[in-house]
């Protein structure tokens, strides 16, 4: 017998990763904590276009869930059971001199309800003044080994805390999730 396999990497599985189209800010598809605002197109900090960016505050939380890898990635049960990797990437701009703690997180839940969390915590002390620095891309990968599950959901989240009121948190943009499987 000859076995042939192919490695597949999906495109972005999230909706509205750029927080809008053209020059507008839009949160469609995202759950974002109340009071959190946004910007239209950001050229400062080497911002991304199209769309806007989330203007984080002292207690910001952004989330979106891919309910089914089978549906979103087109994976069969056998492909899911052979394992996969999920990669989350996020652009973050710490644009001022204030301390912020930002958490980038994937919450992976299998069809039996078992939960695995992959996260990165960024403790940033700022760039020294106002509108300094630039966006930095953070990319993290969770590896799910062989398993007996029929499907998985993946919730991505970005949260930020600081001790100030108003928009003194980072600008957050282009949150993406892709899956690689055989």
């Amino acid at each position: 017998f000859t076995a042939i396999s192919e490695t597949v990497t999906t495109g972005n599985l999230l909706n509205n990763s750029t927080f809008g189209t053209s020059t507008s800010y839009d949160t469609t598809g995202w759950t974002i904590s109340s009071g959190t605002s946004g910007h239209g197109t950001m050229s400062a900090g080497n911002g991304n276009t199209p769309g806007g960016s989330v203007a984080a505050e002292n207690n910001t939380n952004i989330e979106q869930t891919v309910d089914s890898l089978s549906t979103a990635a087109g994976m069969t049960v056998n492909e899911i059971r052979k394992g996969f990797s999920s990669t989350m990437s996020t652009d973050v701009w710490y644009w001022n001199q204030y301390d912020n703690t930002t958490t980038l997180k994937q919450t992976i839940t299998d069809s039996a309800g078992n939960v695995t969390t992959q996260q990165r915590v960024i403790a940033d002390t700022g760039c020294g003044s106002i509108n300094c620095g630039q966006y930095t891309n953070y990319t993290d990968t969770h590896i799910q080994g062989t398993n007996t599950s029929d499907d998985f959901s993946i919730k991505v989240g970005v949260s930020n805390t600081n001790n100030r009121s108003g928009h003194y948190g980072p600008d957050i943009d282009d949150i993406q999730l892709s899956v690689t499987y055989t």
Side-chain angles (χ1 to χ4, degrees), residues 95-135:
W95 58 273
N96 59 49
Q97 69 268 32
Y98 301 110
D99 294 350
N100 282 279
T101 302
T102 307
T103 303
L104 313 176
K105 182 161 80 172
Q106 293 185 66
T107 305
I108 299 94
T109 306
D110 71 13
S111 54
N114 300 304
V115 177
T116 303
T117 301
Q118 180 275 320
Q119 72 178 15
R120 176 195 295 233
V121 177
I122 305 161
D124 190 88
T125 58
C127 59
S129 62
I130 298 295
N131 288 336
C132 54
Q134 64 184 10
Y135 277 94

Side-chain angles (χ1 to χ4, degrees), residues 108-167:
I108 299 94
T109 306
D110 71 13
S111 54
N114 300 304
V115 177
T116 303
T117 301
Q118 180 275 320
Q119 72 178 15
R120 176 195 295 233
V121 177
I122 305 161
D124 190 88
T125 58
C127 59
S129 62
I130 298 295
N131 288 336
C132 54
Q134 64 184 10
Y135 277 94
T136 300
N137 179 267
Y138 296 91
T139 301
D140 297 290
T141 300
H142 163 77
I143 297 174
Q144 175 63 53
T146 57
N147 61 82
T148 59
S149 297
D150 291 342
D151 205 354
F152 281 81
S153 69
I154 301 175
K155 177 170 62 175
V156 298
V158 179
S159 61
N160 187 76
T161 59
N162 62 40
N163 61 2
R164 306 193 62 81
S165 61
H167 172 42

Side-chain angles (χ1 to χ4, degrees), residues 3 5 11 20 50 62-63 67 71-72 95 102 116-117 155 159 172 181-182:
S5 66
I62 307 163
E63 294 180 342
D67 292 322
T71 301
W95 58 273
T102 307
T116 303
T117 301
K155 177 170 62 175
S159 61
I172 302 164
Y181 61 96
T182 302

